[in-house]
Amino acid sequence: MSETASGPLTGLRILDLTGTMSGPYCTLLLAQLGATVDKVEPPAGDITRSLMRGRNEAMTPIFLGLNVGKRSVLLNLKDPEDRKRFTALLPRYDAVVHNMRPAAAGRIGLTEEGLAEAGSSALLCEIVGYGPGPYEDRPAYDDTTQSISGMAWVQGRGEQPEYVRAAVADKTAGLYAALGICAALLGREKGNDSATVRIPMFETMVAYTVVEQLGGLTFDPPEGPPLYPRTMSPSRRPFATADGYLGVMLYTDKHWVSFLTWLGRDDLAADPNYTSVSGRSLHIDEAYGFLAKELKARTTDEWLDIMEELDVPASRVHSFHDLLEDPHLEKSGAIVVEDHPTEGRVRRVRAPFLIDGCMLADPSPAPTLGQHTDVVLGES
């Protein structure tokens, strides 16, 4: 795919005072959509500049991934002169984003009142650990939010809790924040003068986690236990084939009837425990156990051909190395290798948004620490 589109947020100016993961992921999305994002960093830089190892100091893989399209401004907000420079910046922006604890944000004027005193009408977006209540002043990180929100409990099937092996709470909060910013700014265009958007990670992850998992607790009094049985089945995993693994989704009644008929199992094709949604929901371990045994009989390639013939969703199980050679991703241009000014050849996953059928124009590479300080401070 060669044609690119301008981002729909082109012309929007975002001042980014976030660190670690939730805030940078929010502003990454905004930058990918075309916004100008100026990232204020302390002298030590965003902590993600120190996570993992890179080719050069302060340019780690995580930082490179989270901060394309942004400009880095180095300011020590504990220094009075830099505080003045920072305050002078505020009126230039359409939105200001931070993920500090409320007390820390208040000390540097990142409140609705503080922005007004600085002559700024910017929307203030705050990504915090908790909303109003007993936990409001507590710190929060991805692991603690996965724990308190119920996500770790769900991941452990209500038994031995486990973390999702990705920063799912941080990135979910970042997604909600980007959505909230876009919605509030659109609302301003429609005459709804929102001044702040606050995204509490705890409440956000509760909303994200329970939507399909609340089960019988949906009703008051409860009509049964929580958790969605299909996702709780120990057999819900990529299935072993004769030579590897297969991700397959026999989901609808038609999928199961087609598959069982192909196998010559007319007896099971007539069994509602397999061919009705309600029956499978009550006997999901039995159904998945049967599927697991059958899939071991043929190779992954054979099953992919069969599932395509039956119109059943199926896929290989890719490693990250496989992704780099995937023909679809290669054709779509989703993963690119490009020259970074200081880091040499680096890989980047392009923004997945398609505008008028086109990918968005490529953002600038992730900045070195303080790379744009003079430029940004010198702008009007």
Side-chain angles (χ1 to χ4, degrees):
M1 185 178 294
S2 57
E3 293 187 11
T4 58
S6 297
L9 299 184
T10 298
L12 195 71
R13 300 194 66 178
I14 307 293
L15 188 61
D16 176 2
L17 288 102
T18 68
T20 308
M21 193 77 72
S22 61
Y25 191 68
C26 164
T27 54
L28 169 67
L29 297 173
L30 300 176
Q32 289 175 328
L33 286 165
T36 296
V37 177
D38 292 336
K39 180 180 179 67
V40 174
E41 298 189 68
D46 185 332
I47 193 173
T48 59
R49 289 187 181 272
S50 302
L51 300 179
M52 304 178 67
R53 294 183 63 182
R55 288 174 176 162
N56 292 296
E57 185 178 357
M59 296 298 284
T60 64
I62 293 178
F63 184 85
L64 289 170
L66 279 172
N67 292 284
V68 296
K70 305 177 188 179
R71 302 191 296 181
S72 174
V73 182
L74 196 159
L75 290 174
N76 180 2
L77 297 183
K78 295 180 180 179
D79 177 79
E81 291 303 313
D82 274 3
R83 279 282 295 277
K84 290 178 182 178
R85 297 184 182 97
F86 167 69
T87 302
L89 285 176
L90 293 173
R92 304 180 190 176
Y93 294 91
D94 299 291
V96 178
V97 190
H98 77 79
N99 59 350
M100 306 174 191
R101 292 163 73 175
R107 286 194 291 270
I108 59 172
L110 289 183
T111 62
E112 183 179 350
E113 296 75 18
L115 290 180
E117 290 176 5
S120 173
S121 59
L123 175 76
L124 176 63
C125 178
E126 307 165 290
I127 305 173
V128 298
Y130 304 90
Y135 306 159
E136 186 171 4
D137 294 324
R138 291 184 183 180
Y141 285 89
D142 187 271
D143 290 5
T144 59
T145 304
Q146 286 197 43
S147 296
I148 198 170
S149 68
M151 174 59 79
W153 181 75
V154 168
Q155 192 69 6
R157 300 189 181 94
E159 298 171 356
Q160 183 69 35
E162 297 180 2
Y163 294 131
V164 178
R165 290 175 177 83
V168 64
D170 275 337
K171 289 186 283 188
T172 300
L175 280 165
Y176 272 69
L179 174 62
I181 289 168
C182 291
L185 291 177
L186 177 61
R188 286 186 173 190
E189 295 292 323
K190 302 295 183 181
N192 302 315
D193 294 327
S194 301
T196 65
V197 172
R198 178 172 286 193
I199 305 296
M201 289 180 64
F202 176 34
E203 289 92 325
T204 296
M205 279 306 292
V206 169
Y208 179 90
T209 302
V210 307
V211 67
E212 87 282 18
Q213 298 290 351
L214 198 55
L217 299 186
T218 300
F219 306 99
D220 188 16
E223 293 290 332
L227 300 180
Y228 177 25
R230 190 185 73 79
T231 62
M232 292 303 111
S233 172
S235 299
R236 181 186 175 248
R237 59 167 66 93
F239 294 101
T241 64
D243 66 346
Y245 291 90
L246 183 74
V248 61
M249 189 60 171
L250 290 158
Y251 188 67
T252 67
D253 295 350
K254 181 181 178 181
H255 290 155
W256 277 96
V257 170
S258 297
F259 178 67
L260 293 169
T261 301
W262 184 89
L263 285 175
R265 293 300 303 266
D266 293 341
D267 56 327
L268 295 182
D271 185 344
N273 287 349
Y274 286 82
T275 57
S276 72
V277 172
S278 58
R280 286 193 304 279
S281 296
L282 294 173
H283 301 87
I284 194 64
D285 287 336
E286 177 184 339
Y288 276 166
F290 169 81
L291 181 59
K293 291 178 182 178
E294 293 295 330
L295 292 180
K296 290 179 181 178
R298 296 174 182 266
T299 67
T300 298
D301 283 343
E302 288 176 312
W303 281 122
L304 285 170
D305 289 340
I306 292 165
M307 296 304 177
E308 183 175 3
E309 176 187 336
L310 298 176
D311 198 28
V312 171
S315 64
R316 301 181 187 279
V317 177
H318 275 352
S319 70
F320 281 8
H321 295 285
D322 296 326
L323 292 179
L324 301 183
E325 299 177 351
D326 181 86
H328 181 89
L329 295 179
E330 183 177 349
K331 178 71 174 179
S332 68
I335 300 177
V336 296
V337 179
E338 59 191 6
D339 291 312
H340 188 282
T342 62
E343 305 312 300
R345 301 284 281 171
V346 297
R347 285 190 178 87
R348 178 175 58 79
V349 179
R350 300 180 74 183
F353 309 103
L354 297 176
I355 306 297
D356 296 327
C358 298
M359 280 193 166
L360 297 176
D362 289 333
S364 58
T368 56
L369 180 59
Q371 178 179 340
H372 304 96
T373 302
D374 293 340
V375 172
V376 173
L377 293 180
E379 290 177 343
S380 58

